[in-house]
Amino acid sequence: GAVVSQHPSWVICKSGTSVKIECRSLDFQATTMFWYRQFPKQSLMLMATSNEGSKATYEQGVEKDKFLINHASLTLSTLTVTSAHPEDSSFYICSARKGGGGDTQYFGPGTRLTVL
Amino acid sequence: EDQVTQSPEALRLQEGESSSLNCSYTVSGLRGLFWYRQDPGKGPEFLFTLYSAGEEKEKERLKATLTKKESFLHITAPKPEDSATYLCAVQAEDKIIFGKGTRLHILP
């Protein structure tokens, strides 16, 4: 199997606060994890790629100081949205790639963030 | 420019009415093509990975095929529970590119 979980599944927060989202690979070790955001009826937009034990690589236009990514172990990556604002409201999805298992990414169930 | 285009954007079929979804791509250095199913408010669910032209993979009512320019996802005798958005993604040398998806609706 290749199961990826995310927590929380949804979160509502006030503007200016920080929110942390966890992504875990439950039954495999993920050398690489990815963070995406998705707006309604749009496709996935890659935000950053993280490899265990090293700094994340951010896509152009994604503020690394606003979206903090930590990939501390082979089964856990976290995304922290700092000083969240209403425009950060979105559906955040993580994915994980097995070590030595090719390019296939396995996705988590997503986290719905609403910033008031 | 690398890109992935899915068509149609939306498709409504009667239960049992077979059809195909298209994913055309232009990328340099194709390493793999992926199909995912996504239900509203959920993350994409992995369906298939195809690596080379001529390759085919099947799972229940779904069959994915790949050529050098496009991939098809064939749905045979679909059921209402097959209703979802189907995403195609292409892995190039250093990036993955997602299409916008096809929203499939199967009418009972």
Side-chain angles (χ1 to χ4, degrees):
Chain A
V3 182
V4 178
S5 70
Q6 277 184 245
H7 179 79
S9 56
W10 59 270
V11 56
I12 302 173
C13 69
K14 292 183 178 180
S15 185
T17 61
S18 295
V19 174
K20 179 184 284 188
I21 303 170
E22 290 186 351
C23 175
R24 294 180 185 273
S25 55
L26 299 184
D27 54 359
F28 66 98
Q29 292 188 328
T31 52
T32 306
M33 287 185 166
F34 306 83
W35 287 96
Y36 295 83
R37 64 187 298 182
Q38 187 178 34
F39 293 103
K41 297 189 177 180
Q42 297 294 316
S43 192
L44 284 74
M45 293 175 53
L46 180 65
M47 298 174 65
T49 302
S50 74
N51 292 291
E52 185 263 339
S54 61
K55 289 184 178 180
T57 302
Y58 290 82
E59 294 299 300
Q60 193 172 10
V62 178
E63 299 175 57
K64 62 180 181 181
D65 294 329
K66 180 169 184 62
F67 299 100
L68 301 179
I69 292 172
N70 183 279
H71 191 163
S73 77
L74 286 172
T75 59
L76 173 64
S77 176
T78 61
L79 168 68
T80 301
V81 183
T82 62
S83 186
H85 290 283
E87 57 265 30
D88 298 323
S89 298
S90 188
F91 191 51
Y92 291 87
I93 312 173
C94 74
S95 71
R97 200 162 64 192
K98 294 182 180 181
D103 292 318
T104 301
Q105 294 181 31
Y106 300 92
F107 285 84
T111 296
R112 172 73 58 192
L113 170 64
T114 302
V115 185
L116 303 176
Chain B
E1 181 185 352
D2 296 336
Q3 62 180 18
V4 175
T5 304
Q6 290 188 247
S7 62
E9 288 187 11
L11 181 62
R12 294 167 70 92
L13 300 172
Q14 289 293 137
E15 183 174 2
E17 181 183 0
S18 301
S19 187
S20 295
L21 313 182
N22 177 266
C23 172
S24 62
Y25 62 91
T26 52
V27 296
S28 54
L30 175 73
R31 283 171 44 167
L33 184 142
F34 314 100
W35 282 99
Y36 292 90
R37 168 194 170 128
Q38 186 176 25
D39 293 300
K42 296 187 177 180
E45 174 190 344
F46 171 70
L47 295 174
F48 304 109
T49 302
L50 301 168
Y51 291 105
S52 56
E55 190 175 359
E56 298 183 354
K57 288 192 176 175
E58 286 188 69
K59 179 181 178 181
E60 296 179 353
R61 295 179 291 281
L62 300 176
K63 178 180 174 181
T65 61
L66 180 65
T67 72
K68 290 185 178 179
K69 297 186 302 182
E70 59 191 348
S71 176
F72 290 95
L73 183 65
H74 307 276
I75 301 178
T76 302
K79 299 181 179 181
E81 53 262 41
D82 295 322
S83 298
T85 295
Y86 290 84
L87 297 172
C88 167
V90 171
Q91 179 74 49
E93 282 298 329
D94 60 348
K95 59 186 175 184
I96 185 168
I97 306 165
F98 278 84
K100 293 185 177 181
T102 293
R103 295 191 306 279
L104 178 64
H105 186 54
I106 308 299
L107 303 168

